[in-house]
Amino acid sequence: LEALTEGWATGRKVQVWHRKNPSEPLTAYRFAPYYIEPGSAGRSTYAIGLREPPGLVRTLKIERIEQAERTDEPYSIPPDFDPFALLADAWGIWYTEEAPVDVVLKFSPRVAGRVQETHWHRSQMTELLPDGSLVWRGRVAAVKEMLPWIRGWGADVEVLEPEDVRQALNDEVTRLVEVYKKNEA
């Protein structure tokens, strides 16, 4: 974090040794930090900037950087780079060049009040139904990023849209039932 923030503050690229995920090999490359963002999920911190190669803006989870050294190679943040616009549709830190996805969730009356008391996403809209349940709607860049939050509500939430996420969670529940049935035997 120190090398990244120093590089960011001084406009100097950083040589990083990073793993895209814990099971992948360590990769070394130059990185020009444009923005550093703490993420609430997992209490992680992310750096957004130009990765060379491939010469594209990427997000790095700082906890996956095993070594970082500031270089003397200068860079400047493009004047049109706007981290708030980049992350506008993100659930947390994930963004995409594709259009945001409409997400519709139905929460049981048991948790509807708890869901309503928090502003979860800038695009969210809620509708309280006569039976006390709540329909939550939002447009999210990467639905996969919000799956842990959805799973955390357990049987008190039903994914109505998108269909592929509904099906994926349905398949996961089926696998969970099989795991627990196996353990009963």
Side-chain angles (χ1 to χ4, degrees):
L1 182 58
E2 183 179 335
L4 287 168
T5 54
E6 187 179 329
W8 186 24
T10 62
R12 299 287 186 251
K13 293 180 182 177
V14 178
Q15 179 72 27
V16 298
W17 289 263
H18 174 259
R19 292 182 198 278
K20 186 174 179 183
N21 65 57
S23 63
E24 291 195 14
L26 194 62
T27 305
Y29 49 84
R30 296 284 169 120
F31 187 75
Y34 291 177
Y35 190 71
I36 296 175
E37 173 78 1
S40 59
R43 297 185 178 142
S44 297
T45 307
Y46 299 86
I48 300 171
L50 184 69
R51 179 185 158 173
E52 298 172 339
L56 298 170
V57 174
R58 294 289 186 252
T59 301
L60 306 182
K61 186 174 184 178
I62 292 177
E63 290 81 359
R64 292 187 184 152
I65 296 173
E66 294 194 12
Q67 185 178 342
E69 297 172 0
R70 189 179 64 88
T71 71
D72 290 327
E73 189 178 344
Y75 77 93
S76 57
I77 298 172
D80 63 342
F81 176 76
D82 180 352
F84 304 107
L86 184 70
L87 299 173
D89 295 316
W91 180 255
I93 193 72
W94 295 7
Y95 55 89
T96 177
E97 293 174 7
E98 297 175 18
V101 176
D102 290 320
V103 177
V104 182
L105 308 172
K106 184 177 181 185
F107 289 91
S108 74
R110 195 169 83 87
V111 299
R114 288 197 342 241
V115 174
Q116 274 190 304
E117 71 187 11
T118 301
H119 189 79
W120 301 99
H121 192 264
R122 73 175 189 92
S123 70
Q124 82 176 41
M125 292 183 294
T126 60
E127 176 188 359
L128 194 58
L129 300 180
D131 68 355
S133 61
L134 179 81
V135 174
W136 184 98
R137 297 173 192 278
R139 290 180 55 79
V140 179
V143 180
K144 184 176 181 179
E145 187 179 25
M146 74 183 295
L147 284 177
W149 179 75
I150 294 171
R151 284 187 198 104
W153 294 100
D156 285 311
V157 65
E158 177 185 1
V159 176
L160 302 178
E161 294 178 31
E163 181 58 36
D164 63 326
V165 173
R166 180 182 173 86
Q167 187 59 52
L169 288 174
N170 188 44
D171 295 346
E172 187 174 317
V173 168
T174 300
R175 289 191 312 272
L176 276 169
V177 168
E178 291 304 315
V179 167
Y180 285 95
K181 279 184 180 178
K182 222 186 297 182
N183 289 334
E184 288 177 359

